[in-house]
Amino acid sequence: MSASSSVPLSQKFKLPNGVEYEQPLGLFINGEFVTGKEGKAFEVINPSTGKLAGMVHEATAVDVDLAVDAAETAFYDGPWSKMSSADRGHLLLKLADLFEENLTILASIEAFDNGKAIQLAKGDIGACIGCLRYYGGWADKIHGKVIETSPESFNYTKQEPIGVCGQIIPWNFPLLMWAWKIGPAIACGNTVVLKTAEQTPLGGLYAAKLCKEAGFPPGVINILSGFGRTAGAAIASHMKIHKVAFTGSTPVGRQIMKAAAESNLKKVTLELGGKSPNIVFEDADIDRAVEWINFGIYYNAGQCCCAGSRIYVQETIYDKVIDAFKRRAQANVVGNPFDEATFQGAQVSEAQYNRIMAYVELGKKEGATVEVGGERHGSEGYFIKPTVFSNVTEDMRIMQEEIFGPVCAIAKFKNLEDVIQKGNSTAYGLASAVHTRSLNTAVEVANRLRAGTVWVNCYNSLHWALPFGGYGESGIGRELGKEALRNYTQVKTVNINLS
């Protein structure tokens, strides 16, 4: 962290794949990029090298106040307050078009800023485009009902926007989470103050530039780079913010909820951690199941809240599956995110790398066996080899706690009752999967697992039309689909006496 006097509001960047562009570095408040009022800036580190990538301006509580004031003015008094729902939807569709036009730049920023493989980053931006278009289509279809009670009254409900919404997004899918939050909030007519993760601020700032280009009125979308303990805390406790959405860890989610309750009882949605079971029955197609197991845990370098990190295999096929899975995990290409052949890029930061490796050492001490991996990959940056633990028990911390990296534990189960008990033996309930040729088995397991999503013969199959969220300590509310609109509207009842 340092003073921002030497940090410009934008700077030309040239990325490792040759992409050159103008990177915004300021805070995006009221339609303009500005410096923070306290004159602070912080470093952005390239996780592939561990070296300084640049500096961005830092938002503090006073900048949150300014952004909220701009958002409140836009909501109540500005052009946004008079805009039709169809026009709001048109702006989201135009923003989606701009994401599509800038797909290569946006994906390259994600690979550079986050360390993820460029092929996965391109998929993320494609999903951003789909999400923004989906909610652009919803904007003029959000309506209430007429409710008959008696001939002497006329009653109807309205789905009204909440107002200023605070949004705090994580570093693992920076732009995808940006789109997941912005899309439904804007479709419903709200205004937004969004804080990006301090590890990955670059993509959100470039997307802010596209918001201005799309024609969003000043103050409707405000994007702040800053730290959770300052800017994030200010958003969670702000008296003029009436809805806060957070994606991140369960401990921080608890803090957000407490701050919301102790301030103005703002509406809260939380998409939090997970320790998801990935279950393989003896009748499964083993080769296909292994491909999905591999994708389920090593996608995005394991930095995925719904990662299939607890793998349960029926004991009759356990040896075959673990042998095939070890070979598949070792075949993953780990390394330079800008190499199109790379599947697993870097962990996002040195702190995250150290946290994951501490869990690897813990697993060894707990008595689990490292089948593959468990080591650093290369000598530069924050890369970890795909890691598989066997000989695990349910009470081990590596089976109960979210590691958030390319590390999984594989265990045996006897029968359906045994695996249901094991699958539900966690405080989390975000996602799960079952691999079987039996429709009856698939449906029974899906019905009995306590998780917000159950995948059958696949994993990480997300779509903007499908609700996503968790049971238990995995969160409150749902992202995506029609369900997400509930988070950003409130119901008003109008009763007209006709007598």
Side-chain angles (χ1 to χ4, degrees):
M1 190 182 301
S2 68
S4 66
S5 57
S6 61
V7 179
L9 290 177
S10 68
Q11 184 177 333
K12 285 195 178 295
F13 271 43
K14 183 174 182 179
L15 303 184
N17 60 345
V19 167
E20 295 185 65
Y21 72 103
E22 188 75 18
Q23 172 66 52
L25 303 173
L27 311 176
F28 189 69
I29 298 176
N30 205 27
E32 300 293 339
F33 288 100
V34 298
T35 60
K37 287 297 181 183
E38 293 189 14
K40 295 181 178 180
F42 63 94
E43 295 180 344
V44 179
I45 302 298
N46 177 356
S48 298
T49 63
K51 297 175 182 176
L52 180 68
M55 302 279 292
V56 297
H57 293 266
E58 179 190 346
T60 60
V62 66
D63 302 299
V64 172
D65 286 341
L66 292 171
V68 170
D69 287 345
E72 188 178 53
T73 297
F75 182 77
Y76 289 109
D77 302 317
W80 189 248
S81 65
K82 302 174 183 65
M83 189 174 291
S84 71
S85 56
D87 286 342
R88 290 199 306 267
H90 178 73
L91 288 175
L92 281 172
L93 295 174
K94 190 169 182 181
L95 181 60
D97 290 343
L98 289 170
F99 264 64
E100 190 165 45
E101 290 172 21
N102 290 272
L103 188 150
T104 299
I105 292 175
L106 291 167
S108 299
I109 294 172
E110 292 289 83
F112 179 70
D113 203 18
N114 171 273
K116 68 175 63 195
I118 188 70
Q119 59 161 314
L120 299 185
K122 290 176 181 177
D124 285 1
I125 306 308
C128 290
I129 295 163
C131 180
L132 293 171
R133 286 189 175 141
Y134 177 79
Y135 286 109
W138 261 115
D140 61 356
K141 302 170 186 67
I142 301 165
H143 50 74
K145 298 179 179 179
V146 173
I147 302 172
E148 295 288 347
T149 59
S150 74
E152 290 77 31
S153 65
F154 177 65
N155 314 290
Y156 63 93
T157 61
K158 295 179 66 183
Q159 295 289 132
E160 295 191 339
I162 292 171
V164 180
C165 297
Q167 302 181 321
I168 304 170
I169 62 173
W171 45 257
N172 56 335
F173 294 94
L175 278 170
L176 189 56
M177 295 300 99
W178 190 100
W180 282 24
K181 296 291 188 291
I182 294 287
I186 293 301
C188 292
N190 300 282
T191 57
V192 167
V193 176
L194 182 147
K195 188 194 84 67
T196 56
E198 56 265 30
Q199 298 90 343
T200 54
L202 301 181
L205 293 175
Y206 195 85
K209 173 187 172 187
L210 298 182
C211 290
K212 185 170 183 177
E213 189 175 338
F216 282 94
V220 175
I221 297 174
N222 303 273
I223 308 297
L224 306 179
S225 308
F227 292 84
R229 63 181 179 271
T230 49
I235 288 172
S237 61
H238 206 287
M239 296 298 291
K240 292 183 179 180
I241 290 176
H242 297 287
K243 161 76 173 74
V244 64
F246 170 75
T247 297
S249 71
T250 297
V252 176
R254 287 193 174 95
Q255 295 175 27
I256 299 282
M257 196 169 185
K258 183 178 180 182
E262 291 179 345
S263 53
N264 59 348
L265 283 175
K266 56 178 63 66
K267 193 173 183 179
V268 176
T269 51
L270 304 170
E271 198 266 277
L272 306 175
K275 193 71 177 174
S276 301
N278 199 353
I279 299 166
V280 184
F281 281 88
E282 61 186 359
D283 66 340
D285 180 326
I286 291 179
D287 290 339
R288 182 180 178 187
V290 165
E291 284 296 319
W292 285 113
I293 291 170
N294 183 78
F295 189 72
I297 181 59
Y298 300 125
Y299 170 69
N300 206 49
Q303 298 172 143
C304 187
C305 54
C306 57
S309 54
R310 291 187 298 143
I311 300 163
Y312 294 104
V313 179
Q314 198 154 19
E315 56 189 9
T316 51
I317 59 167
Y318 177 82
D319 291 338
K320 288 182 180 179
V321 170
I322 202 167
D323 286 345
F325 182 37
K326 284 163 58 177
R327 290 194 301 273
R328 183 63 187 86
Q330 289 173 311
N332 288 327
V333 178
V334 182
N336 177 13
F338 288 96
D339 186 336
E340 291 284 347
T342 295
F343 173 67
Q344 184 184 314
Q347 311 310 133
V348 74
S349 67
E350 182 178 16
Q352 185 64 13
Y353 170 89
N354 289 337
R355 181 178 184 274
I356 296 164
M357 293 307 295
Y359 269 108
V360 171
E361 293 306 310
L362 175 63
K364 295 176 183 176
K365 289 178 182 178
E366 288 183 315
T369 301
V370 177
E371 295 286 347
V372 295
E375 301 173 327
R376 180 189 187 95
H377 174 86
S379 58
E380 184 180 62
Y382 312 126
F383 296 91
I384 297 174
K385 293 180 180 179
T387 301
V388 178
F389 275 106
S390 64
N391 294 322
V392 292
T393 56
E394 292 301 306
D395 60 340
M396 289 182 179
R397 287 177 61 189
I398 60 169
M399 281 293 273
Q400 292 297 319
E401 298 178 15
E402 186 176 38
I403 298 173
F404 221 66
V407 179
C408 64
I410 186 166
K412 300 176 183 178
F413 72 91
K414 294 180 180 179
N415 52 37
L416 189 146
E417 293 300 326
D418 181 35
V419 79
I420 291 295
Q421 187 276 325
K422 288 176 176 177
N424 288 332
S425 64
T426 173
Y428 296 110
L430 188 56
S432 57
V434 53
H435 303 269
T436 176
R437 287 189 174 95
S438 168
L439 180 60
N440 289 345
T441 299
V443 171
E444 181 172 359
V445 173
N447 287 342
R448 295 178 64 185
L449 285 174
R450 295 192 292 269
T453 294
V454 182
W455 289 296
V456 177
N457 294 326
C458 60
Y459 208 96
N460 282 332
S461 182
L462 298 166
H463 191 279
W464 44 87
L466 301 175
F468 180 77
Y471 288 18
E473 293 185 16
S474 288
I476 299 169
R478 293 293 179 269
E479 309 255 29
L480 303 180
K482 183 181 179 181
E483 288 297 314
L485 302 173
R486 297 176 187 267
N487 302 333
Y488 293 100
T489 58
Q490 49 198 349
V491 179
K492 176 180 285 182
T493 297
V494 180
N495 178 295
I496 302 173
N497 188 330
L498 301 176
S499 61

